[in-house]
Amino acid sequence: MSCLSRRQSLLAWLISGCFTLSAHAAPVLISNIKGYGFDDKRQLVAFSELVFDDASGKVLARGQGIAKDYPAASKIDGMGRTLLPGLIDGHGHVLGLGQNLSQVDLRESSSEAQAVAKTAAFAKANPQAQWILGRGWNQVLWPSQQFPGKHLLDEVINDKPVWLSRVDGHAGWANSKALALAGISKDSIDPPGGQIVRDANGEPTGVLIDNAMLMLEKQIPAINEAERVSALNAAFAHLLSLGITSTHDAGIDAANLATYQQLRDAKQLPVRLYPMLSATDPALESWLKAGPIDDPLDFLDVRSVKIYGDGALGSRGAALLAPYSDKPKETGLLVTQPDKLTAVMKLTIDAGFQANVHAIGDYANQLALDRFESLQTEAQRKAGRHRIEHAQIVAPKDLPRFAALHVLPSMQPTHATSDKNMAGARLGVARLRGAYAWRSLVDDGNRIVGGSDYPVELANPFFGIHAAVTRQDQQNQPAGGWLPEQKLTLVEALRSFTVDAAYGAFQDQAMGSLAPGMWADFILVDRDIVKVAPEQLWQTKVLATYVGGELKYQFRE
């Protein structure tokens, strides 16, 4: 079938699978829509027509009855669909997502035995693989709720190394072959900020937590450039299919940045990227000396550093002020020790970069807030828009400090609905008052940078919007929501994935609201999310995704 022009209806090009820009740049009018954007006060604005410029890729106008002002515009019939600003994921891992799409997926495993069976089936289907890699297991969802071990893996795969990351990426599960290649034995010493889980006889069980994972992961052959580009392209296509037009990439290394720059120079980035440089990369100081990368087209803006505070709650690596309720002798792990944390934050801030600190436990959050307070004046903090990534468990007395110190909470709503069956056991009732506290933070005047932490969670932003509004899983549990006092409104949740995420990347004057002069990044979806029943939000389907006025994705039945 030949490609269709812009003047034909939205329904026709959805069916045809083909869409072409007009030969001569001109305004493009999309009408018959239920459009939503934001004004300069972050208030929701409704419109039925949107006009954007084909050449610049920017919004010219929005409103009702504006078609008469653009008589030469190419026209698209929106067929009554809902149009939203392109969604922004404020915390994900692009390369990890792309790699995860080609590895064994253990997210739905209901037991250790089932995870082993899935891994064995994957190994059989991929005989060329040197290592069997996977991700997604979560022992909290298994009947035993216990960490897995190497023995079942050894029974099905003993001739190749196996390495399976926990769903949060803060623990991993290896077979004996992989442990041997890494030199991990009964005599191995736990590294600072890491733990080799051992049995009663002191033998490694196969599970490694946080910095101990590095002992094994350095043995995994590095991907080559072709594999990297392939994984990134797979991730880009997946994100676009979910309506994500921009993403913050939370911690990249030098090789990844170089690939991004090459793709940007070749105009092959279909998604806008805001990468955070990894504080653990040896190239950090040279990056900081080189200064920020400011792309005038906003496809690759680099001015932030991902700094690692602690581990994750599910693996008991989150650093807590008091011991875990279900492990009274453990308080978690600091991946970066306090003095080092101070030094790296100061280095980042002094270089004029945004410091984005991973902090899940209340101790790690307190450490980060203390340093933001001591290292800068109020004016510097406000200008820096520094962030705490996750801000998951915060001592109630520390919650008001986010707004007071102008520190942005970068949070992932689906973490709460995933953790609801585990967090109470880990923390006890009292500490839940400062856990996943979106409502408290918004009421204090904070802008929340919304995200998913993919591939830890699924990347679909409507899952996150649903979780923020309902505090329920997709089975509408628990009734009324988990810690329901922390719910957000639909508008607040949508802000967190649009204008407020853009603010967290210094891009709020360029994207996130569909105001005139901003990038024409928008999506068409199958329902009016402002009016739909909240429990249906997660079911929203993306029909089309535009970046800079160009169609990048269209839904096919």
Side-chain angles (χ1 to χ4, degrees):
M1 182 181 290
S2 62
C3 288
L4 303 171
S5 73
R6 283 193 187 274
R7 297 181 185 276
Q8 293 175 279
S9 74
L10 173 65
L11 182 60
W13 63 252
L14 278 173
I15 295 172
S16 75
C18 212
F19 192 80
T20 299
L21 300 180
S22 55
H24 301 287
V28 179
L29 167 72
I30 180 167
S31 59
N32 188 17
I33 53 173
K34 299 172 185 174
Y36 295 102
F38 292 93
D39 62 19
D40 58 2
K41 294 182 180 178
R42 300 163 58 233
Q43 298 302 306
L44 196 67
V45 174
F47 51 88
S48 60
E49 297 168 326
L50 179 77
V51 181
F52 61 90
D53 182 62
D54 221 5
S56 68
K58 292 192 174 183
V59 175
L60 296 175
R62 65 185 183 187
Q64 290 80 33
I66 59 175
K68 65 182 183 301
D69 299 326
Y70 298 90
S74 300
K75 295 180 176 62
I76 300 173
D77 181 1
M79 301 297 293
R81 300 298 192 185
T82 296
L83 185 148
L84 302 171
L87 299 174
I88 301 170
D89 192 307
H91 186 112
H93 306 277
V94 180
L95 182 61
L97 174 63
Q99 292 176 308
N100 197 61
L101 292 171
S102 62
Q103 297 175 354
V104 58
D105 184 358
L106 302 175
R107 194 182 303 272
E108 300 301 321
S109 300
S110 59
S111 67
E112 179 180 355
Q114 188 182 60
V116 169
K118 287 188 174 187
T119 304
F122 180 87
K124 184 176 180 180
N126 295 271
Q128 78 288 350
Q130 299 178 52
W131 280 66
I132 305 303
L133 303 173
R135 183 167 183 159
W137 59 272
N138 184 357
Q139 85 286 357
V140 173
L141 303 178
W142 298 346
S144 68
Q145 296 194 347
Q146 299 299 312
F147 276 137
K150 60 189 177 184
H151 299 298
L152 287 183
L153 279 179
D154 289 345
E155 289 178 10
V156 296
I157 307 172
N158 55 32
D159 58 336
K160 290 182 178 181
V162 178
W163 180 238
L164 308 170
S165 297
R166 192 180 183 277
V167 64
D168 56 16
H170 285 269
W173 171 21
N175 68 349
S176 293
K177 181 77 170 181
L179 293 173
L181 286 173
I184 296 173
S185 68
K186 185 175 182 178
D187 298 325
S188 298
I189 299 172
D190 288 358
Q195 180 186 0
I196 301 169
V197 178
R198 305 168 193 270
D199 63 20
N201 298 317
E203 290 287 348
T205 64
V207 172
L208 308 176
I209 297 176
D210 286 315
N211 285 355
M213 298 167 68
L214 302 176
M215 301 167 68
L216 186 144
E217 288 175 341
K218 66 184 180 182
Q219 303 299 323
I220 301 173
I223 61 172
N224 60 39
E225 185 63 12
E227 292 169 333
R228 183 188 304 277
V229 171
S230 177
L232 292 174
N233 283 332
F236 297 152
H238 184 67
L239 294 172
L240 288 166
S241 75
L242 300 173
I244 296 170
T245 56
S246 176
T247 186
H248 304 177
D249 197 350
I252 66 166
D253 61 15
N256 205 345
L257 178 60
T259 301
Y260 280 161
Q261 290 174 305
Q262 291 164 12
L263 292 173
R264 173 63 187 91
D265 291 344
K267 298 181 179 178
Q268 292 178 354
L269 285 178
V271 175
R272 303 188 193 279
L273 298 172
Y274 185 71
M276 308 174 200
L277 307 173
S278 175
T280 59
D281 195 285
L284 179 63
E285 290 197 43
S286 61
W287 280 337
L288 296 179
K289 287 178 183 176
I293 297 172
D294 186 9
D295 178 6
L297 298 181
D298 290 318
F299 275 100
L300 185 64
D301 292 326
V302 186
R303 60 175 300 170
S304 63
V305 175
K306 169 75 176 297
I307 301 169
Y308 305 87
D310 63 347
L313 189 66
S315 52
R316 297 190 186 86
L320 302 180
L321 290 165
Y324 279 84
S325 296
D326 56 356
K327 282 278 185 177
K329 294 182 180 180
E330 296 185 15
T331 56
L333 300 167
L334 287 177
V335 176
T336 305
Q337 297 305 304
D339 288 348
K340 178 66 173 177
L341 180 68
T342 303
V344 174
M345 289 179 68
K346 179 173 173 50
L347 181 70
T348 299
I349 291 167
D350 289 350
F353 278 65
Q354 180 189 49
N356 298 341
V357 183
H358 167 113
I360 289 182
D362 50 13
Y363 179 44
N365 275 280
Q366 189 175 94
L367 284 176
L369 290 167
D370 287 347
R371 278 143 188 78
F372 282 127
E373 183 170 15
S374 65
L375 292 174
Q376 288 189 300
T377 66
E378 181 177 3
Q380 289 171 328
R381 286 192 295 270
K382 188 171 184 180
R385 300 189 190 181
H386 303 298
R387 295 164 41 169
I388 289 184
E389 304 300 314
H390 308 304
Q392 206 161 301
I393 301 130
V394 182
K397 67 177 183 178
D398 285 330
L399 285 170
R401 299 178 70 196
F402 280 82
L405 297 173
H406 305 286
V407 174
L408 299 174
S410 172
M411 304 177 77
Q412 301 76 46
T414 49
H415 280 336
T417 50
S418 293
D419 292 356
K420 60 183 170 54
N421 296 326
M422 168 267 291
R426 294 281 190 274
L427 302 172
V429 174
R431 280 185 287 198
L432 289 179
R433 291 187 295 115
Y436 314 87
W438 314 326
R439 173 86 269 145
S440 298
L441 288 162
V442 168
D443 285 349
D444 284 342
N446 293 286
R447 299 185 186 214
I448 292 180
V449 177
S452 66
D453 201 12
Y454 64 77
V456 173
E457 301 281 354
L458 295 174
N460 192 324
F462 292 102
F463 293 179
I465 291 170
H466 168 264
V469 172
T470 67
R471 303 283 293 203
Q472 293 178 319
D473 60 26
Q474 292 169 9
Q475 289 72 47
N476 302 317
Q477 294 299 316
W482 183 65
L483 305 177
E485 66 276 9
Q486 295 296 343
K487 291 179 182 178
L488 298 183
T489 67
L490 183 280
V491 172
E492 290 166 341
L494 185 59
R495 279 182 193 144
S496 74
F497 282 90
T498 54
V499 289
D500 290 349
Y503 181 85
F506 303 89
Q507 295 172 330
D508 47 310
Q509 299 303 306
M511 65 186 79
S513 69
L514 285 179
M518 294 195 178
W519 296 117
D521 298 350
F522 61 89
I523 61 175
L524 290 156
V525 299
D526 69 342
R527 67 198 68 203
D528 185 343
I529 69 166
V530 175
K531 297 178 180 177
V532 75
E535 60 268 19
Q536 296 178 17
L537 284 167
W538 68 271
Q539 300 171 6
T540 302
K541 263 195 179 55
V542 175
L543 302 177
T545 302
Y546 285 75
V547 181
E550 291 189 25
L551 181 69
K552 297 292 187 181
Y553 165 79
Q554 64 188 59
F555 173 72
R556 290 187 177 91
E557 290 284 359

